[in-house]
Amino acid sequence: MLYLVAFLLHCLPLAMGHYDICKSWVTTDDGPSWEFYACQPKAMRMKDYVTVKVDPPGITCGDPPERFCTHENPYLCSDECDASTPDLAHPPKLMFDKEDEGLVTYWQSVTWSRYPEPLLANITLSWNKSIELTDDIVVTFEYGRPTIMMLEKSLDNGRTWHPYQYYADDCMEAFGMPARRVRDLSTTSANRIICTEEYSRWVGSKKEKNVRLEVRDRFAIFAGQDFRNMDNLYTRLESAKGLKDFFTVTDLRMRLLRPALGGTYVQRENLYKYFYAVSNIEVTGRCKCNLHANLCSFKEGTLQCECEHNTTGQDCGKCKKNFRTRSWRAGSYLPLPNGSPNAWAGTQGGCYGHSNRCSYIDFLNVVTCVSCKHNTRGQHCQHCRLGFYRNGSAELDDENVCIECNCNQIGSLHDRCNETGYCECREGAAGPKCDDCLPNYYWRQGCFPNVCDEELLICQNGGTCYQNQRCICPAGYQGILCEQSKCDSDTKTCNSASRTYLSLTTFLIGALILQL
Ligand SMILES: *[C@@H]1O[C@H](CO)[C@@H](O)[C@H](O)[C@H]1NC(C)=O
Ligand SMILES: *[C@@H]1O[C@H](CO)[C@@H](O)[C@H](O)[C@H]1NC(C)=O
Ligand SMILES: *[C@@H]1O[C@H](CO)[C@@H](O)[C@H](O)[C@H]1NC(C)=O
Ligand SMILES: *[C@@H]1O[C@H](CO)[C@@H](O)[C@H](O)[C@H]1NC(C)=O
Ligand SMILES: *[C@@H]1O[C@H](CO)[C@@H](O)[C@H](O)[C@H]1NC(C)=O
Ligand SMILES: [Ca+2]
């Protein structure tokens, strides 16, 4: 039995090889690079991940314990439901268990002892995740299938509900709808909500136990009975409005409206043979990941797509933080056979969150942004404004990624700096911001060459050097290095001597400047 199930799962039309990889490393004329494809996770048995709720409260049998009969043996009412005895209890979880050794286990409702009040029960299945059905939903009833029921679905985690399929032994009487079969639907009506009488008529409780929502038959409308033409199905899923959504659910609700009657009218004298009993609910589908993931994992009680293509979210329904420029798009099954991820490739699309006014120009395949913030500039706000440089250790989308150069206005040639924040200095200035002076220069509204110092430009005749800017000369001496004596008496001699000194000093200073 298990082998058979595995085999069936393997053969599911949409579980086949198609769209199972998201990207591959390929070598092209331009060298190796990633190539991206539309991708989707494998189909799974969704009952393993479901949460179930049965309404109204008290609808499950066994509290208090109750005897029940069957349609086959209406007067042999030896079976008992007792919630407090494990062997005789029929809790909701038995609709989803693995039945080992052929032992059938099932949820069971109370009997219809309150007739003519209707016996109503809701079974609500929730996944907290969008699921795409890939095979029939199969509900297995023990002791006969309901004569009236309907299936509802939600696409928004149970906030709103829509009819999915109606089931009755007489559709007109129960729902005012003509009976239809999925096999009779056409390509234009493949997602029509129908009422079917196929699963509600009495045929004996052992002969036919299943009630279906026919997913395969609807796929077959496009792919053919043998599913040879899957390409056509994928093409239609992309192009036909509402078709993909028809097979998508987050929740399912079975509304059981009237139990099996054994092929006749309700017999008031024996109401213990009317009840619902569900042994299995098979839902086969895959996580909806918008064709941006090929893996779906069960984490913290919830299914979650492992998103690729720079997307994120439970269904890969949005762009990752750094890739928000282009509006998000689902991947596409087209063009066949690999589909398209519809993802923005490369980082140039990333405006890094510095502008909220970026737009994608489809026919040029570019993104342009206006009014870049945070001192950024460029078509994608990917550069720093002039006068700013990039903080190499900050993320591109960091608000502080651009740091002001802060060049010293006097010491630098302009207010721009290089990638490590170094400014371009005027002669004699130094330091990253040009607010220092080179050796042998002193700062005074900019850097000027030293006039005097302790080594080469020594103040003469006992003069002292003041902040490298001038010599403070003793009385009787003058000149830049105090090299000149103030000869008041013999001007001629003094002048010639001082001329020699001065020319030597000029020579020394000139040599020093040349050396620098
Ligand atoms: C079943 O659910 C429907 C809504 O889908 C609600 O109107 C109805 O009252 C519920 N029935 C029971 C028995 O809880
Ligand atoms: C539903 O899924 C979301 C997203 O993974 C999660 O945050 C939330 O807790 C889940 N809710 C429940 C009831 O599990
Ligand atoms: C995702 O982003 C990475 C890093 O920027 C880039 O190399 C890659 O091409 C992108 N993938 C897609 C599908 O856009
Ligand atoms: C650069 O960015 C890193 C990381 O955000 C931060 O720690 C650092 O202080 C920044 N450097 C400057 C100079 O702002
Ligand atoms: C920036 O300028 C400084 C000083 O000239 C230099 O050491 C550094 O390598 C430059 N950085 C870059 C990235 O060019
Ligand atoms: Ca079971």
Side-chain angles (χ1 to χ4, degrees), residues 371-400:
S371 62
C372 294
K373 296 181 294 185
H374 311 140
N375 303 311
T376 61
R377 70 180 172 95
Q379 203 178 17
H380 315 297
C381 307
Q382 77 276 40
H383 299 303
C384 287
R385 256 175 56 198
L386 296 181
F388 292 80
Y389 70 103
R390 164 129 195 248
N391 180 349
S393 37
E395 296 287 331
L396 267 173
D397 62 341
D398 194 318
E399 286 194 6
N400 300 313

Short mmCIF file of all heavy atoms in Angstrom, two decimals, residues 371-400:
data_model
loop_
_atom_site.label_atom_id
_atom_site.label_comp_id
_atom_site.label_asym_id
_atom_site.label_seq_id
_atom_site.Cartn_x
_atom_site.Cartn_y
_atom_site.Cartn_z
N SER A 371 15.72 61.91 -6.99
CA SER A 371 15.87 62.38 -5.61
C SER A 371 16.44 61.32 -4.69
O SER A 371 15.77 60.82 -3.79
CB SER A 371 14.54 62.92 -5.07
OG SER A 371 13.55 61.95 -5.04
N CYS A 372 17.70 60.97 -4.97
CA CYS A 372 18.39 60.03 -4.08
C CYS A 372 18.60 60.70 -2.73
O CYS A 372 18.92 61.88 -2.66
CB CYS A 372 19.75 59.66 -4.67
SG CYS A 372 19.63 58.74 -6.20
N LYS A 373 18.43 59.91 -1.70
CA LYS A 373 18.62 60.43 -0.35
C LYS A 373 19.95 59.96 0.22
O LYS A 373 20.70 59.27 -0.44
CB LYS A 373 17.47 59.95 0.55
CG LYS A 373 16.12 60.47 0.14
CD LYS A 373 15.03 59.96 1.09
CE LYS A 373 14.88 58.46 0.98
NZ LYS A 373 13.75 57.94 1.79
N HIS A 374 20.20 60.34 1.45
CA HIS A 374 21.35 59.84 2.21
C HIS A 374 22.67 60.12 1.50
O HIS A 374 23.57 59.29 1.51
CB HIS A 374 21.21 58.35 2.49
CG HIS A 374 19.88 57.96 3.05
ND1 HIS A 374 19.21 56.83 2.69
CD2 HIS A 374 19.08 58.60 3.93
CE1 HIS A 374 18.06 56.77 3.33
NE2 HIS A 374 17.96 57.83 4.08
N ASN A 375 22.75 61.29 0.83
CA ASN A 375 24.00 61.70 0.17
C ASN A 375 24.44 60.75 -0.93
O ASN A 375 25.63 60.60 -1.19
CB ASN A 375 25.13 61.87 1.21
CG ASN A 375 24.74 62.86 2.27
OD1 ASN A 375 24.27 63.95 1.96
ND2 ASN A 375 24.89 62.46 3.52
N THR A 376 23.47 60.06 -1.56
CA THR A 376 23.81 59.20 -2.68
C THR A 376 23.44 59.91 -3.98
O THR A 376 22.71 60.91 -3.99
CB THR A 376 23.06 57.86 -2.62
OG1 THR A 376 21.65 58.12 -2.66
CG2 THR A 376 23.38 57.11 -1.35
N ARG A 377 23.96 59.38 -5.07
CA ARG A 377 23.62 59.91 -6.39
C ARG A 377 23.70 58.76 -7.39
O ARG A 377 24.12 57.65 -7.03
CB ARG A 377 24.58 61.04 -6.80
CG ARG A 377 25.97 60.53 -7.08
CD ARG A 377 26.93 61.63 -7.47
NE ARG A 377 28.27 61.06 -7.53
CZ ARG A 377 28.84 60.60 -8.64
NH1 ARG A 377 28.22 60.69 -9.79
NH2 ARG A 377 30.05 60.06 -8.60
N GLY A 378 23.36 59.04 -8.62
CA GLY A 378 23.44 58.03 -9.67
C GLY A 378 22.06 57.51 -10.02
O GLY A 378 21.09 57.69 -9.30
N GLN A 379 22.02 56.80 -11.15
CA GLN A 379 20.76 56.30 -11.66
C GLN A 379 20.07 55.38 -10.66
O GLN A 379 18.86 55.33 -10.58
CB GLN A 379 21.05 55.54 -12.95
CG GLN A 379 19.86 55.46 -13.86
CD GLN A 379 20.24 54.72 -15.14
OE1 GLN A 379 21.26 54.04 -15.22
NE2 GLN A 379 19.40 54.86 -16.14
N HIS A 380 20.87 54.66 -9.92
CA HIS A 380 20.30 53.73 -8.95
C HIS A 380 20.65 54.13 -7.54
O HIS A 380 20.58 53.33 -6.63
CB HIS A 380 20.82 52.31 -9.21
CG HIS A 380 20.80 51.94 -10.65
ND1 HIS A 380 19.63 51.84 -11.36
CD2 HIS A 380 21.80 51.67 -11.52
CE1 HIS A 380 19.92 51.52 -12.62
NE2 HIS A 380 21.21 51.41 -12.74
N CYS A 381 21.06 55.40 -7.36
CA CYS A 381 21.53 55.89 -6.07
C CYS A 381 22.66 55.00 -5.56
O CYS A 381 22.74 54.69 -4.38
CB CYS A 381 20.40 55.93 -5.05
SG CYS A 381 18.94 56.82 -5.61
N GLN A 382 23.49 54.55 -6.49
CA GLN A 382 24.52 53.58 -6.12
C GLN A 382 25.86 54.24 -5.82
O GLN A 382 26.80 53.56 -5.42
CB GLN A 382 24.66 52.52 -7.21
CG GLN A 382 25.43 52.93 -8.45
CD GLN A 382 24.59 53.65 -9.48
OE1 GLN A 382 23.73 54.48 -9.13
NE2 GLN A 382 24.82 53.39 -10.74
N HIS A 383 25.99 55.56 -6.07
CA HIS A 383 27.25 56.25 -5.77
C HIS A 383 27.04 57.23 -4.64
O HIS A 383 25.91 57.60 -4.33
CB HIS A 383 27.73 57.03 -7.00
CG HIS A 383 28.00 56.18 -8.18
ND1 HIS A 383 28.89 55.14 -8.17
CD2 HIS A 383 27.48 56.22 -9.44
CE1 HIS A 383 28.92 54.57 -9.37
NE2 HIS A 383 28.06 55.20 -10.15
N CYS A 384 28.18 57.69 -4.08
CA CYS A 384 28.08 58.74 -3.07
C CYS A 384 28.18 60.09 -3.76
O CYS A 384 28.86 60.24 -4.77
CB CYS A 384 29.20 58.59 -2.04
SG CYS A 384 28.94 57.20 -0.94
N ARG A 385 27.47 61.07 -3.22
CA ARG A 385 27.52 62.41 -3.77
C ARG A 385 28.94 62.93 -3.70
O ARG A 385 29.75 62.50 -2.88
CB ARG A 385 26.63 63.33 -2.94
CG ARG A 385 25.33 63.68 -3.60
CD ARG A 385 24.48 64.48 -2.65
NE ARG A 385 25.14 65.68 -2.15
CZ ARG A 385 24.74 66.34 -1.07
NH1 ARG A 385 23.68 65.91 -0.40
NH2 ARG A 385 25.37 67.41 -0.66
N LEU A 386 29.28 63.90 -4.57
CA LEU A 386 30.60 64.51 -4.51
C LEU A 386 30.77 65.13 -3.13
O LEU A 386 29.85 65.74 -2.60
CB LEU A 386 30.75 65.57 -5.61
CG LEU A 386 30.67 65.00 -7.03
CD1 LEU A 386 30.86 66.10 -8.05
CD2 LEU A 386 31.71 63.90 -7.23
N GLY A 387 31.97 64.96 -2.59
CA GLY A 387 32.19 65.46 -1.24
C GLY A 387 31.89 64.41 -0.18
O GLY A 387 31.97 64.68 1.00
N PHE A 388 31.50 63.19 -0.64
CA PHE A 388 31.24 62.08 0.28
C PHE A 388 31.98 60.86 -0.25
O PHE A 388 32.28 60.76 -1.42
CB PHE A 388 29.74 61.78 0.35
CG PHE A 388 28.96 62.87 1.02
CD1 PHE A 388 28.61 64.02 0.32
CD2 PHE A 388 28.58 62.74 2.34
CE1 PHE A 388 27.89 65.03 0.93
CE2 PHE A 388 27.85 63.75 2.96
CZ PHE A 388 27.51 64.89 2.26
N TYR A 389 32.28 59.93 0.66
CA TYR A 389 32.88 58.69 0.21
C TYR A 389 32.19 57.53 0.88
O TYR A 389 31.48 57.69 1.88
CB TYR A 389 34.39 58.67 0.50
CG TYR A 389 34.76 58.56 1.96
CD1 TYR A 389 35.19 57.36 2.50
CD2 TYR A 389 34.67 59.67 2.79
CE1 TYR A 389 35.53 57.27 3.84
CE2 TYR A 389 35.00 59.59 4.13
CZ TYR A 389 35.44 58.38 4.65
OH TYR A 389 35.76 58.29 5.97
N ARG A 390 32.34 56.36 0.29
CA ARG A 390 31.61 55.18 0.73
C ARG A 390 32.29 54.52 1.93
O ARG A 390 33.48 54.27 1.91
CB ARG A 390 31.55 54.19 -0.45
CG ARG A 390 31.17 52.83 -0.05
CD ARG A 390 30.06 52.22 -0.82
NE ARG A 390 29.66 51.08 -0.02
CZ ARG A 390 29.83 49.82 -0.40
NH1 ARG A 390 30.28 49.55 -1.59
NH2 ARG A 390 29.48 48.85 0.42
N ASN A 391 31.50 54.22 2.95
CA ASN A 391 31.99 53.45 4.10
C ASN A 391 32.06 51.98 3.67
O ASN A 391 31.03 51.33 3.52
CB ASN A 391 31.04 53.62 5.28
CG ASN A 391 31.50 52.84 6.50
OD1 ASN A 391 32.40 52.00 6.40
ND2 ASN A 391 30.87 53.11 7.63
N GLY A 392 33.28 51.51 3.46
CA GLY A 392 33.46 50.16 2.92
C GLY A 392 32.90 49.07 3.79
O GLY A 392 32.54 48.00 3.30
N SER A 393 32.77 49.31 5.08
CA SER A 393 32.27 48.23 5.93
C SER A 393 30.77 48.34 6.17
O SER A 393 30.20 47.50 6.87
CB SER A 393 33.04 48.19 7.25
OG SER A 393 33.34 49.48 7.69
N ALA A 394 30.11 49.34 5.61
CA ALA A 394 28.67 49.46 5.79
C ALA A 394 27.94 48.83 4.60
O ALA A 394 28.47 48.78 3.49
CB ALA A 394 28.27 50.92 5.92
N GLU A 395 26.75 48.29 4.84
CA GLU A 395 25.94 47.73 3.77
C GLU A 395 25.52 48.85 2.82
O GLU A 395 25.37 50.00 3.23
CB GLU A 395 24.68 47.07 4.33
CG GLU A 395 24.95 45.86 5.21
CD GLU A 395 25.40 44.66 4.42
OE1 GLU A 395 25.00 44.55 3.24
OE2 GLU A 395 26.15 43.84 4.97
N LEU A 396 25.28 48.45 1.56
CA LEU A 396 24.91 49.48 0.58
C LEU A 396 23.61 50.19 0.93
O LEU A 396 23.39 51.32 0.52
CB LEU A 396 24.79 48.83 -0.80
CG LEU A 396 26.05 48.86 -1.65
CD1 LEU A 396 25.85 48.06 -2.90
CD2 LEU A 396 26.39 50.30 -2.00
N ASP A 397 22.75 49.51 1.64
CA ASP A 397 21.47 50.15 1.93
C ASP A 397 21.47 50.87 3.27
O ASP A 397 20.45 51.35 3.73
CB ASP A 397 20.35 49.12 1.88
CG ASP A 397 20.52 48.04 2.93
OD1 ASP A 397 21.65 47.89 3.43
OD2 ASP A 397 19.54 47.36 3.25
N ASP A 398 22.64 50.94 3.89
CA ASP A 398 22.77 51.65 5.15
C ASP A 398 22.54 53.15 4.90
O ASP A 398 23.05 53.70 3.94
CB ASP A 398 24.17 51.41 5.72
CG ASP A 398 24.29 51.83 7.17
OD1 ASP A 398 23.75 52.90 7.51
OD2 ASP A 398 24.92 51.10 7.95
N GLU A 399 21.80 53.78 5.79
CA GLU A 399 21.55 55.21 5.61
C GLU A 399 22.83 56.03 5.72
O GLU A 399 22.93 57.12 5.19
CB GLU A 399 20.56 55.71 6.67
CG GLU A 399 19.14 55.26 6.40
CD GLU A 399 18.14 56.03 7.23
OE1 GLU A 399 18.55 56.98 7.93
OE2 GLU A 399 16.96 55.68 7.17
N ASN A 400 23.82 55.47 6.41
CA ASN A 400 25.07 56.22 6.62
C ASN A 400 26.19 55.71 5.75
O ASN A 400 27.36 55.86 6.10
CB ASN A 400 25.46 56.12 8.10
CG ASN A 400 24.39 56.70 8.99
OD1 ASN A 400 23.89 57.80 8.73
ND2 ASN A 400 24.01 55.96 10.02
#
